[in-house]
Amino acid sequence: MDPFDSNNTDRSNLPRNMIENRMFEEEPDVVDLAKDSTTFPTCQALDPDDVVYEPRSSRLLVRGLGENDLDEDDEECESSARLLGMSFMNRSAAHRSCSSPYTRSCARPSARTLTVCMLFLVIVASMTMVLYFLPGCTFTRSGCPKTNKTTPFEQVYPLSTNGEVFPWAQLRLPRSIRPLSYDLTLNPDLDNATFTGRTTISMSVLHNTKCIVLHSAYLNITKATFKLGDGEARDVTVLEYKAREQIAVQFTEVLRTGQACVLTLDYSANLSHTYDGFYNSSYTEEDGSKRVLAATQFEPLSARKAFPCFDAPDFKATFLIRIRRKPNHLSLSNMPKAKSTQLPNGLIEDEFEKTSVNMSTYLVAFIVANFTHISRNVSETQVSVYSVPEKWEHTEYALDTACKLLEFYNDFFEINYPLKKLDLVAIPDFLAGAMENWGLITFRETSLLVGKQSSPLEKQVVASVIAHELAHQWFGNLVTMRWWNDLWLNEGFATYMQYMSLQTVFPQLDIGNLFLAVRFRALDKDALNSSHAVSTEVNKPEQVEEMFDSVSYEKGASILLMLNASLPGDQQFRKGIIQYLKEFSGLNTDTSDLWNSLTQVEVSAQHPNVSDMMSSWTSQKGFPLVTVSRKGGQVTLTQEHFQLASDNAMQTSSLWNIPVTYVTDNCSVAPECRRTFYLKTKSATLKDLPESVKWLKLNYRNTGFYISHYEDEGWAALINALSNDVGVLTHEDRASLVHNMFALSRLGRVSFHQVLHLLKYMSNETHTSPVTEALLQLGVIYRLLDQRQEHRLVARMKSYILHQFGSLMDQQTWEEEHSVSKQELRSALLGMACSLNEEKCIKRAQALFKQYVESNGTSRIPGDLQQVVFTVAAQSNEDWATLLSMYARVTYDAEKRKMLRGLASTQDARLIVWILKAGLMGDVIQTQELPLVISTVCNGFTGYLFVWDFIQENWDNLIEKFPVGSFAIQTIIKSAASQFSTQAHLDQVQGFFYSLKERGSQMRTVQEALETIRLNQRWMEKNLATLTKWL
């Protein structure tokens, strides 16, 4: 949206920015391209919504690019500006057309004339400075001053690397050129970690233009040719603006609408040493030999690091890819291999079929490695799972899972997967959990490979990731968001379908508990003032990176669940998304397109318009708090913005269209008990509720994305009902009561005494989700108290937890358990018991570890207990060393990662320093695991301060390995800051990040971290006395 009123006829085009730039420094060169158009050809005129302005510190200011014609008002203002000496022209004759109106021929002036002119210029300069420093002054026909509320700063164009003006000044590319197809040839040299390439882009001209602007980053372009229509190819000069990773080719003639053209670029580059672009990696085989490979990770902004391209989601095209390799390697790409050719230099060139679909550049992928695979044909698609040779036996479960899910999605969406093959590849060195490249999905090894003896909980992790990435083949690949501001259309949908598909295809994995837990965490994140709307403005690369967070993923999935649960019948939601996929197949969309598709599906007259209802959930940050007050049979529901950092939440204007569900003591468990009321206003009344009803519980099974609060009598009635009969509510409802009560305590609406009062019923609780939620919340408080060195309260909290959950802890076994839900419950309870140094737990874990070591790994520790056992073992320096040696040898990745978390949980300061440095170096511990190491170390009393020092000392190294704003950086910052609760630490964190400036100070994650510290501090100040009294 244009923040300025483009239709305001009173505004002036006075170029104030021409005198704003370093007034008292050397006078900058300014090129008036509106007058000098022959030297600097134009690009397509800008959309008002896309205009972005360079900072005033630019050394070269250029105005008027793309605007050769001045209207009458413009000419008058231009003349006024010239009279005031405010339009300084470039003094170089090379930049001036011979026909320029500024060219004058005159006799040499006399000394008197020079004196008068100098005096005049001094007066003018003085007037200019006075006028400039009058805030908001704009020259208009009606005079000055007049507050300028509509006129933007004029466009400022940067310099390219060769010193010429770069003809574009925005993050997003111009819309004048559309790529149709790419022909890529890549020649990676794995031994020297370099590659060369040739990219040929066939394009269509959508609007008259004199330049082509596209993306390129860290590529050395050695040759460029251009061909227009059927003409001859000719050499062209490529300009580069590195700050925005853009290149441009300018022309003297106009490229006209409808013309076809081809741009060919030869280039060379280094393989990336980070985890994005075309990067090199290595792994060690069992015999100790080292293998190298090259793989890609392009989402969101890194395809440009492998080949020049229009690297934005809405520039879809087809791709034909050739890769040259050594005979002992194989190559993979999005499409099946069409042919292989032996080259004279001994290399083999693999050519892949041209993509049968248009796709965004971030979905392109290729790999050169020495992998092996297993395959199966499903629904006319060859599904394969690739891994390093020594781990091929861990691929069977992934193949079986992928085949079943592919069949499910083909049927559910009523659109078959469009490609001939689907490869799932386990990469030894991969930062993300997985990436949905069309036809070539890449994974971390821990996200794809499981052994035959793996626990159901480990299989649940792998199945979840596969289900997510396969869902992307429709949501994200087939239909793609138009820009990164609507990333949730990709990630929210894939997250929702991940859980929904597993509940249907693999009910034994009991995925419902996990989905419930992530919805709670999404609420926790979205309760912060530093959160953002699901669909929000994105104008900088780091803002693109930061969109990959729980709001886009889990909140996106949560509001889709809420919508589905509110629609009548069990097929309305499915009909709507099928219509959405079919209508926009191969295209780009925004959020309104989805809501419109769902609105078009026929629903009952009682249901509100989907677009009207759901726009309130995507266009504003946060979620509502719904408060219940009751007088007899009249129940009043009131909504307000649940915002932890706000002291006047009741006064905010945010409103949501909330499908409030509820049950009562008359009927509370079965689905038919649920009633729905649409709360669209600030307050509304539930009618026809019998006075005989003792209590009501909102948000049946926690399908709604809101928190519920009951006046004291309401809470008392619910707590009393649970005390008498745990089964009076579903386990999801019981867990949501626990979560909501803790959240309300942080908000200050209930006392911590009320929290403890609710938890009294826990001695009778047997289901996983209420217990794990309570343990998680209590664990957070325990660690904060421990790290504040509130020793007496720490001892009381420990006694309280062991007393409240001791009977449940004692009931847990240490043998193999096949129920996923029971594994989740057991690992949470025993993990808490051992972290509190409960004697029986510690002894049993130590015995299991000893047995495991002495058997040389043949005596298996149950998968869900491995983390508990390895963490206990790591508290002994001797066992820590043993665990480290085992970590270096073990090949099964899920077990290896649990060993690493155990190693990072040590409380020995020297070992903590060592493991942090090892994670950064990447030799013993892969750098991709550093965020996990940091988050684990932070949970310990000894480690969290070491981590904070480590982050400050190594910040530049961290952002070199992980992009600013990336999920890895988010994890590192939040892990460290969430442990602080004092003013001193707040000042330290704030001072450090503010000093970073463009190296990280503006990240949303930083604001979230500071807000979290303030909230921790506030909660502690309010509740320390209560804890002392009631624990």
Side-chain angles (χ1 to χ4, degrees):
M1 183 180 71
D2 186 354
F4 305 100
D5 183 3
S6 302
N7 298 318
N8 189 336
T9 58
D10 291 333
R11 72 180 186 179
S12 165
N13 289 320
L14 179 65
R16 268 185 53 179
N17 59 341
M18 293 191 174
I19 62 168
E20 289 178 352
N21 189 54
R22 303 188 182 184
M23 290 183 57
F24 305 107
E25 297 182 11
E26 177 185 353
E27 182 182 299
D29 289 338
V30 178
V31 184
D32 191 332
L33 297 185
K35 299 294 185 184
D36 202 1
S37 60
T38 59
T39 305
F40 294 90
T42 65
C43 278
Q44 182 65 24
L46 310 179
D47 287 331
D49 290 346
D50 292 335
V51 175
V52 178
Y53 300 96
E54 283 287 333
R56 284 165 32 183
S57 59
S58 298
R59 291 299 297 157
L60 178 66
L61 303 180
V62 184
R63 72 179 171 87
L65 190 59
E67 300 175 3
N68 288 322
D69 299 323
L70 296 177
D71 60 23
E72 184 179 344
D73 290 350
D74 292 332
E75 288 174 353
E76 179 174 341
C77 292
E78 183 69 26
S79 299
S80 300
R82 220 175 278 128
L83 284 172
L84 287 171
M86 298 175 67
S87 181
F88 303 114
M89 300 309 300
N90 191 311
R91 293 171 300 281
S92 171
H95 285 175
R96 223 173 255 150
S97 168
C98 60
S99 61
S100 170
Y102 294 106
T103 303
R104 296 287 184 268
S105 176
C106 57
R108 180 168 179 162
S110 66
R112 179 181 177 183
T113 301
L114 284 174
T115 303
V116 171
C117 288
M118 287 295 294
L119 179 61
F120 177 76
L121 286 175
V122 170
I123 294 171
V124 168
S126 301
M127 290 174 61
T128 300
M129 292 176 63
V130 170
L131 291 171
Y132 171 73
F133 286 110
L134 286 175
C137 180
T138 302
F139 291 93
T140 65
R141 289 177 176 177
S142 57
C144 182
K146 177 178 180 179
T147 302
N148 177 12
K149 297 182 179 178
T150 61
T151 306
F153 290 121
E154 292 202 30
Q155 192 83 336
V156 178
Y157 292 84
L159 289 178
S160 56
T161 53
N162 68 354
E164 294 185 35
V165 175
F166 191 81
W168 194 246
Q170 301 177 53
L171 175 68
R172 298 179 68 171
L173 298 179
R175 309 298 304 176
S176 50
I177 298 290
R178 176 193 170 198
L180 302 176
S181 65
Y182 292 80
D183 189 319
L184 307 179
T185 301
L186 294 143
N187 183 11
D189 181 347
L190 302 190
D191 296 327
N192 296 307
T194 61
F195 69 99
T196 59
R198 167 173 287 184
T199 297
T200 300
I201 313 173
S202 298
M203 299 166 287
S204 175
V205 181
L206 300 183
H207 304 288
N208 289 358
T209 185
K210 284 189 175 181
C211 65
I212 297 173
V213 184
L214 63 159
H215 290 110
S216 174
Y218 307 106
L219 303 178
N220 177 33
I221 296 176
T222 54
K223 182 178 176 60
T225 62
F226 179 77
K227 178 182 176 183
L228 182 63
D230 296 327
E232 292 293 323
R234 66 181 190 272
D235 290 345
V236 291
T237 300
V238 177
L239 303 177
E240 182 176 16
Y241 182 43
K242 290 186 176 181
R244 286 214 176 93
E245 301 179 340
Q246 293 173 351
I247 58 173
V249 178
Q250 297 192 100
F251 308 96
T252 55
E253 75 277 14
V254 175
L255 306 181
R256 302 203 174 274
T257 302
Q259 287 185 311
C261 53
V262 178
L263 179 65
T264 300
L265 300 161
D266 293 343
Y267 58 95
S268 62
N270 294 319
L271 290 169
S272 171
H273 296 295
T274 58
Y275 295 99
D276 58 353
F278 193 15
Y279 71 92
N280 67 329
S281 179
S282 64
Y283 63 94
T284 304
E285 294 187 323
E286 288 181 334
D287 62 3
S289 59
K290 184 178 181 180
R291 292 280 189 174
V292 293
L293 62 94
T296 59
Q297 170 60 39
F298 290 160
E299 189 179 36
L301 305 173
S302 293
R304 64 194 69 175
K305 297 179 180 179
F307 58 97
C309 57
F310 295 79
D311 197 12
D314 55 346
F315 285 93
K316 290 190 172 185
T318 59
F319 294 82
L320 191 152
I321 297 174
R322 301 178 191 87
I323 297 178
R324 296 173 181 176
R325 60 175 174 86
K326 289 184 176 180
N328 62 327
H329 286 134
L330 63 80
S331 67
L332 299 170
S333 189
N334 304 84
M335 296 295 289
K337 190 182 300 180
K339 63 179 181 180
S340 295
T341 304
Q342 183 75 49
L343 301 178
N345 59 2
L347 298 178
I348 296 174
E349 181 178 273
D350 293 330
E351 180 176 319
F352 298 89
E353 295 179 16
K354 185 176 182 179
T355 58
S356 56
V357 290
N358 286 321
M359 65 185 192
S360 306
T361 50
Y362 77 87
L363 295 171
V364 176
F366 31 86
I367 297 169
V368 179
N370 179 31
F371 286 166
T372 188
H373 72 282
I374 60 174
S375 300
R376 190 182 306 168
N377 286 315
V378 176
S379 303
E380 301 181 356
T381 299
Q382 178 170 296
V383 182
S384 304
V385 179
Y386 286 81
S387 71
V388 299
E390 65 189 51
K391 297 180 181 179
W392 71 268
E393 70 274 13
H394 296 162
T395 58
E396 185 66 37
Y397 180 78
L399 179 64
D400 182 64
T401 300
C403 290
K404 290 179 179 177
L405 286 168
L406 182 62
E407 289 181 306
F408 170 80
Y409 285 139
N410 281 340
D411 176 67
F412 186 86
F413 296 133
E414 296 182 1
I415 301 173
N416 284 341
Y417 173 76
L419 304 186
K420 295 179 182 179
K421 62 101 172 173
L422 176 64
D423 296 337
L424 292 77
V425 185
I427 307 291
D429 207 13
F430 194 75
L431 182 61
M435 176 60 208
E436 66 268 18
N437 314 301
W438 216 343
L440 184 62
I441 307 175
T442 46
F443 296 78
R444 271 194 184 204
E445 290 181 326
T446 52
S447 301
L448 188 66
L449 306 179
V450 290
K452 295 179 180 179
Q453 302 299 319
S454 299
S455 70
L457 204 53
E458 292 165 337
K459 292 178 179 177
Q460 183 198 71
V461 172
V462 169
S464 295
V465 179
I466 293 174
H468 183 99
E469 303 309 324
L470 260 63
H472 269 309
Q473 307 304 299
W474 286 263
F475 287 99
N477 298 9
L478 187 65
V479 180
T480 312
M481 78 268 154
R482 186 168 284 114
W483 181 242
W484 300 106
N485 63 306
D486 277 325
L487 177 67
W488 87 277
L489 289 174
N490 285 19
E491 300 300 350
F493 252 112
T495 303
Y496 175 73
M497 292 305 303
Q498 154 191 347
Y499 294 111
M500 191 277 289
S501 63
L502 292 183
Q503 286 176 327
T504 304
V505 181
F506 298 101
Q508 70 275 16
L509 293 180
D510 205 1
I511 200 69
N513 289 335
L514 180 58
F515 192 18
L516 180 63
V518 299
R519 299 203 300 274
F520 289 151
R521 303 292 75 79
L523 285 165
D524 294 345
K525 156 86 180 228
D526 208 29
L528 300 176
N529 188 49
S530 51
S531 184
H532 62 89
V534 170
S535 179
T536 192
E537 189 174 351
V538 173
N539 291 320
K540 298 178 181 179
E542 59 267 27
Q543 291 176 341
V544 174
E545 294 280 358
E546 286 194 299
M547 288 301 292
F548 292 81
D549 65 1
S550 64
V551 173
S552 296
Y553 285 71
E554 283 80 22
K555 182 179 179 180
S558 299
I559 63 174
L560 291 172
L561 171 68
M562 179 174 64
L563 174 60
N564 191 8
S566 72
L567 292 173
D570 59 355
Q571 294 298 312
Q572 295 297 326
F573 181 77
R574 180 188 175 197
K575 290 177 182 177
I577 60 175
I578 289 173
Q579 178 168 317
Y580 169 76
L581 289 172
K582 289 184 175 180
E583 180 179 357
F584 297 104
S585 178
L587 303 177
N588 295 86
T589 62
D590 53 33
T591 297
S592 62
D593 295 319
L594 172 64
W595 299 148
N596 290 338
S597 292
L598 287 163
T599 299
Q600 292 168 20
V601 176
E602 184 178 347
V603 296
S604 66
Q606 289 76 28
H607 192 279
N609 178 284
V610 171
S611 183
D612 291 343
M613 183 178 87
M614 295 307 296
S615 61
S616 67
W617 294 93
T618 54
S619 62
Q620 58 187 347
K621 68 181 178 182
F623 58 87
L625 168 64
V626 179
T627 300
V628 183
S629 58
R630 183 180 179 188
K631 292 183 179 179
Q634 180 174 304
V635 175
T636 301
L637 303 180
T638 304
Q639 66 162 299
E640 60 185 284
H641 187 176
F642 187 102
Q643 195 170 28
L644 287 175
S646 176
D647 293 326
N648 58 345
M650 288 292 290
Q651 299 176 15
T652 62
S653 59
S654 300
L655 284 177
W656 287 263
N657 193 331
I658 313 169
V660 177
T661 56
Y662 64 94
V663 293
T664 70
D665 61 307
N666 291 335
C667 184
S668 59
V669 177
E672 56 269 21
C673 298
R674 185 188 69 170
R675 299 289 181 267
T676 303
F677 177 83
Y678 292 96
L679 180 60
K680 305 175 185 179
T681 57
K682 187 75 173 175
S683 182
T685 300
L686 276 179
K687 299 179 180 178
D688 303 323
L689 191 71
E691 289 194 33
S692 60
V693 169
K694 297 178 181 177
W695 53 262
L696 75 162
K697 160 70 174 65
L698 301 192
N699 203 1
Y700 175 68
R701 301 188 71 178
N702 204 67
T703 55
F705 197 74
Y706 56 92
I707 282 178
S708 307
H709 177 42
Y710 311 86
E711 291 190 340
D712 290 341
E713 292 183 2
W715 275 115
L718 285 167
I719 293 171
N720 184 58
L722 283 178
S723 300
N724 293 329
D725 179 11
V726 170
V728 75
L729 293 172
T730 66
H731 72 88
E732 296 97 338
D733 283 317
R734 302 196 301 270
S736 73
L737 287 178
V738 173
H739 172 269
N740 287 190
M741 185 68 96
F742 274 97
L744 290 165
S745 169
R746 287 179 68 82
L747 186 65
R749 294 298 176 89
V750 301
S751 68
F752 196 70
H753 175 54
Q754 288 176 278
V755 176
L756 299 177
H757 188 47
L758 171 64
L759 294 183
K760 287 181 180 178
Y761 99 92
M762 276 290 164
S763 57
N764 298 320
E765 182 61 80
T766 57
H767 200 279
T768 300
S769 52
V771 174
T772 54
E773 182 62 25
L775 289 174
L776 183 145
Q777 298 285 357
L778 291 170
V780 169
I781 297 171
Y782 178 85
R783 284 192 298 275
L784 286 174
L785 291 171
D786 192 29
Q787 287 159 357
R788 283 177 64 108
Q789 302 182 47
E790 300 282 352
H791 301 304
R792 296 176 66 182
L793 281 176
V794 167
R796 293 184 185 184
M797 179 63 80
K798 173 182 174 180
S799 299
Y800 170 80
I801 294 173
L802 293 176
H803 172 75
Q804 199 71 26
F805 298 91
S807 60
L808 273 175
M809 293 172 177
D810 291 339
Q811 293 171 22
Q812 306 308 306
T813 68
W814 293 75
E815 310 300 329
E816 288 288 352
E817 173 59 66
H818 299 291
S819 164
V820 172
S821 182
K822 290 181 179 178
Q823 284 189 348
E824 291 171 332
L825 178 63
R826 178 170 72 172
S827 61
L829 285 166
L830 295 181
M832 176 62 81
C834 283
S835 71
L836 297 177
N837 293 315
E838 199 275 330
E839 186 177 359
K840 289 182 290 185
C841 184
I842 294 294
K843 287 183 176 179
R844 194 64 187 269
Q846 289 172 335
L848 267 181
F849 184 73
K850 182 179 180 181
Q851 183 180 347
Y852 178 71
V853 172
E854 291 176 349
S855 69
N856 200 25
T858 58
S859 175
R860 175 173 163 77
I861 303 171
D864 62 303
L865 296 180
Q866 287 176 352
Q867 191 61 73
V868 177
V869 171
F870 295 150
T871 298
V872 170
Q875 306 316 307
S876 157
N877 285 1
E878 181 181 349
D879 287 343
W880 190 94
T882 302
L883 192 62
L884 179 62
S885 64
M886 296 172 69
Y887 173 80
R889 296 193 308 268
V890 73
T891 59
Y892 179 44
D893 298 287
E895 186 175 21
K896 191 181 187 78
R897 209 157 193 248
K898 292 169 189 171
M899 288 181 175
L900 179 58
R901 290 186 65 185
L903 292 167
S905 69
T906 178
Q907 296 303 296
D908 185 293
R910 293 181 181 275
L911 297 179
I912 288 171
V913 171
W914 180 89
I915 200 168
L916 289 170
K917 289 184 177 179
L920 187 63
M921 294 294 294
D923 296 330
V924 180
I925 298 169
Q926 291 176 308
T927 302
Q928 68 179 22
E929 301 290 9
L930 183 57
L932 175 69
V933 169
I934 285 176
S935 63
T936 305
V937 171
C938 282
N939 286 332
F941 175 78
T942 307
Y944 79 108
L945 291 178
F946 281 101
V947 166
W948 175 234
D949 288 342
F950 175 81
I951 290 172
Q952 294 177 89
E953 292 170 5
N954 295 280
W955 181 254
D956 288 339
N957 288 332
L958 291 172
I959 61 174
E960 180 182 335
K961 296 178 182 296
F962 311 117
V964 172
S966 65
F967 188 77
I969 289 294
Q970 293 179 46
T971 300
I972 289 169
I973 293 173
K974 288 186 284 190
S975 296
S978 64
Q979 309 301 317
F980 295 145
S981 61
T982 65
Q983 185 64 42
H985 284 138
L986 175 62
D987 293 341
Q988 287 181 26
V989 174
Q990 183 167 291
F992 171 70
F993 282 112
Y994 283 5
S995 71
L996 296 177
K997 297 182 180 179
E998 73 279 358
R999 290 160 42 242
S1001 65
Q1002 300 305 313
M1003 285 188 294
R1004 185 186 299 118
T1005 309
V1006 172
Q1007 306 310 314
E1008 181 182 336
L1010 296 173
E1011 187 177 356
T1012 300
I1013 298 172
R1014 293 187 187 100
L1015 290 170
N1016 289 343
Q1017 182 183 6
R1018 186 181 75 179
W1019 193 91
M1020 283 293 169
E1021 290 171 353
K1022 287 185 176 181
N1023 289 282
L1024 282 177
T1026 301
L1027 291 170
T1028 303
K1029 180 178 180 181
W1030 292 105
L1031 282 181

